[in-house]
Amino acid sequence: MKNRYFVIEPDQIVADDLSHAIRVHDPEAEVVVFPTPDAAVGELAMRRPRAVLIHHEPRGFGRTPAGIALHSLNVPYAFRGMVSEAEAEGAHVLASPFNETTVAVLLRRLLEEDPG
């Protein structure tokens, strides 16, 4: 069975780069891209991802519909952005610029902590 990953990223070029890096780490992966967290909410329950990479500020994300859904489904996720923001919230972060190696390291870390 293929692993499914969600990339939530408004910039199509960045989303494509993330998708490519995920597929380098997991060649059989299905990567589904959404422009916003709200766009992904409906898909979360129907097609549970193995992990999610999100372009969103960590602060307050857990109270958003997407944050609540990810938490209730126990889906591991990480933010793409500033390390200092994420560290303040105790969140995982993929700092920019990223590459195939940094994406692979982050995914391994997320999936090691994934109880599902």
Side-chain angles (χ1 to χ4, degrees), residues 19-90:
S19 297
H20 171 76
I22 290 168
R23 287 188 192 101
V24 167
H25 170 71
D26 185 349
E28 298 296 316
E30 174 189 5
V31 181
V32 184
V33 176
F34 300 93
T36 65
D38 289 341
V41 170
E43 292 291 316
L44 283 169
M46 294 188 310
R47 301 191 300 167
R48 186 185 187 275
R50 182 86 163 101
V52 179
L53 299 179
I54 308 162
H55 177 84
H56 194 284
E57 182 178 324
R59 184 167 288 120
F61 180 76
R63 295 183 301 275
T64 67
I68 292 166
L70 288 169
H71 179 74
S72 70
L73 293 169
N74 214 15
V75 174
Y77 59 92
F79 298 97
R80 188 184 72 77
M82 301 297 294
V83 173
S84 59
E85 287 177 5
E87 285 176 341
E89 295 293 313

